[in-house]
Amino acid sequence: MKNRADNKTEPVLYVIVPCYNEEQVLPVTSEMFLGELQQLIEKKKISDQSRIMYVNDGSGDNTWNIIKELSKKDAHFIGISQSRNRGHQNALLAGLMEAKDLCDVTITIDCDGQDSVEAMEEMIDAWREGCEVVYGVRNARSTDSFFKRATAQCFYRLVNAIGGNVIYNHADYRLMSSRVLEEFANFGEVNLFLRGLIPLVGFESRIVYYERHERLAGRSHYSFGKMLGLAFDGITSLSIRPMRIISLMGVLISFVSFLGVIWILIGALRGNTIAGWASMTIILCMLGGIQILCIGVIGEYIGKIYLETKHRPRYIISERTYDKNGQ
Ligand code: UDP
Ligand code: MG
């Protein structure tokens, strides 16, 4: 493991912050981010060229104007804007791909103040000791509702059981070096589930624990439906094991049916007539349900293939608060 602690020059850090309709929290959390960045600069842990890069994800409110104002007030703030709302994961990708050539190391963080900025120092320290990826893991979920906690736990278990590799209680608060991003740029998929994909890139990694707070203002954009969508995307973009389970189920059911056929034939030959309408109906309904579910799962994969084959751009940057080539 290479130790960077002796390097004379401090690394350039880009903090990537996706924002979607966040006019209420932006003024509050921008102070927090800047404060932390300045502390790290003073401690000589990062270069003064470090930046907080906001990614406006096609917000319908005043978010982009606030970002532009911030960038005029302090050179440490910069911003890019997506041409329309593409979702959290694509906004992160846009920021990461934009930043990878401009800096040595990135940290992605939500803009609502839920992830404590204090963990950044520990992340940078881990990077200096040679880690290329540092995962922020919340050490308690006391601020989440029981329902959110329970569903999240089920989700991590399920993903890992079917062959994905997701770190428990890690969301999208993480440090990645530009070296990792360079490699990650070759992962061309449009079905993005970053927390499942980054472990696939490999390299030396570490976990840093932090406290997760309540949202400072505004409200969450992840409704139950969106959360379910992300979970489903996560599972189907990381593993094809659900398809395998369906095939195995098919084999098992066929085998049982085959035994059933023999049993029925013997019964018919002996002249026993069967009066089992209720049991027949139950079995028919059940099988019908299972079949539709299986077709749905297969359809989900075909849908993913369809989207991947189009090779459409995963993000489109419409505006920047700076001149990318002149930076
Ligand atoms: N976000 C985004 N695009 C979206 C939805 C959300 O860029 O379409 C951003 C949002 O501004 C925030 C982060 O993603 O910085 C996480 O969203 P949120 O806090 O609503 O999710 P939660 O923390 O409740 O899971
Ligand atoms: Mg949040």
Side-chain angles (χ1 to χ4, degrees):
M1 189 151 95
K2 64 176 176 239
N3 195 324
R4 303 179 177 102
D6 302 329
N7 279 6
K8 289 281 174 292
T9 51
E10 294 94 25
V12 177
L13 165 71
Y14 270 42
V15 180
I16 316 283
V17 193
C19 306
Y20 176 55
N21 292 347
E22 298 282 13
E23 60 183 7
Q24 283 179 316
V25 274
L26 258 180
V28 188
T29 54
S30 58
E31 298 285 323
M32 268 168 45
F33 294 141
L34 187 62
E36 181 66 22
L37 201 79
Q38 271 162 347
Q39 255 187 34
L40 289 173
I41 293 171
E42 271 162 34
K43 287 185 184 168
K44 301 228 174 301
K45 297 222 166 174
I46 58 172
S47 147
D48 191 41
Q49 295 301 308
S50 299
R51 298 283 179 265
I52 294 155
M53 179 191 268
Y54 286 109
V55 184
N56 172 36
D57 188 19
S59 303
D61 65 1
N62 219 12
T63 301
W64 182 234
N65 286 333
I66 298 175
I67 294 172
K68 283 197 283 196
E69 284 305 314
L70 284 171
S71 73
K72 274 184 212 144
K73 257 201 315 218
D74 192 309
H76 291 104
F77 289 116
I78 57 174
I80 58 176
S81 189
Q82 294 228 76
S83 58
R84 69 178 173 89
N85 179 248
R86 294 292 300 267
H88 181 199
Q89 300 289 301
N90 292 69
L92 281 174
L93 182 77
L96 289 170
M97 291 300 113
E98 174 84 2
K100 79 176 172 24
D101 307 318
L102 306 171
C103 66
D104 301 305
V105 54
T106 61
I107 293 180
T108 50
I109 188 167
D110 288 355
C111 101
D112 54 12
Q114 285 194 281
D115 306 323
S116 60
V117 290
E118 290 80 27
M120 284 188 191
E121 183 168 352
E122 214 178 314
M123 287 183 171
I124 292 287
D125 287 344
W127 178 83
R128 289 176 84 90
E129 285 163 23
C131 292
E132 302 283 348
V133 182
V134 185
Y135 299 101
V137 171
R138 61 188 90 164
N139 54 14
R141 267 183 176 266
S142 49
T143 54
D144 282 343
S145 66
F146 171 76
F147 181 70
K148 188 151 188 174
R149 243 181 300 168
T151 47
Q153 207 159 40
C154 281
F155 169 66
Y156 288 109
R157 291 237 170 91
L158 191 64
V159 170
N160 288 321
I162 60 151
N165 178 11
V166 178
I167 292 168
Y168 184 61
N169 268 349
H170 162 66
D172 283 299
Y173 187 18
R174 88 176 76 76
L175 174 147
M176 280 174 276
S177 68
S178 51
R179 169 98 183 77
V180 165
L181 292 174
E182 208 59 62
E183 299 300 336
F184 182 63
N186 297 323
F187 284 57
E189 45 228 280
V190 291
N191 295 292
L192 276 181
F193 184 63
L194 291 172
R195 71 191 83 161
L197 290 175
I198 300 300
L200 298 180
V201 185
F203 292 100
E204 196 79 40
S205 68
R206 191 178 295 174
I207 286 174
V208 162
Y209 291 92
Y210 70 95
E211 192 113 16
R212 173 115 164 150
H213 309 294
E214 298 267 15
R215 210 172 214 285
L216 288 178
R219 56 185 183 80
S220 168
H221 302 99
Y222 273 102
S223 59
F224 179 64
K226 260 195 179 179
M227 235 161 60
L228 214 62
L230 184 72
F232 217 81
D233 268 352
I235 290 167
T236 50
S237 59
L238 289 177
S239 158
I240 57 163
R241 212 173 279 181
M243 303 258 266
R244 183 117 349 122
I245 294 169
I246 288 172
S247 310
L248 284 176
M249 237 159 64
V251 171
L252 197 77
I253 292 171
S254 306
F255 181 69
V256 173
S257 316
F258 180 67
L259 293 182
V261 168
I262 294 175
W263 179 62
I264 289 165
L265 270 179
I266 293 173
L269 287 175
R270 281 173 154 191
N272 300 341
T273 42
I274 302 149
W277 181 82
S279 50
M280 278 290 272
T281 320
I282 290 169
I283 289 168
L284 272 178
C285 290
M286 229 181 70
L287 275 181
I290 292 173
Q291 274 175 346
I292 292 172
L293 176 77
C294 294
I295 293 171
V297 174
I298 293 168
E300 187 72 27
Y301 281 99
I302 296 176
K304 289 235 149 77
I305 297 169
Y306 173 69
L307 290 175
E308 295 292 351
T309 51
K310 285 177 191 278
H311 292 300
R312 282 190 181 152
R314 296 178 289 175
Y315 59 88
I316 296 171
I317 296 171
S318 56
E319 264 183 88
R320 292 181 170 84
T321 60
Y322 59 97
D323 174 12
K324 192 182 179 190
N325 302 318
Q327 263 259 180

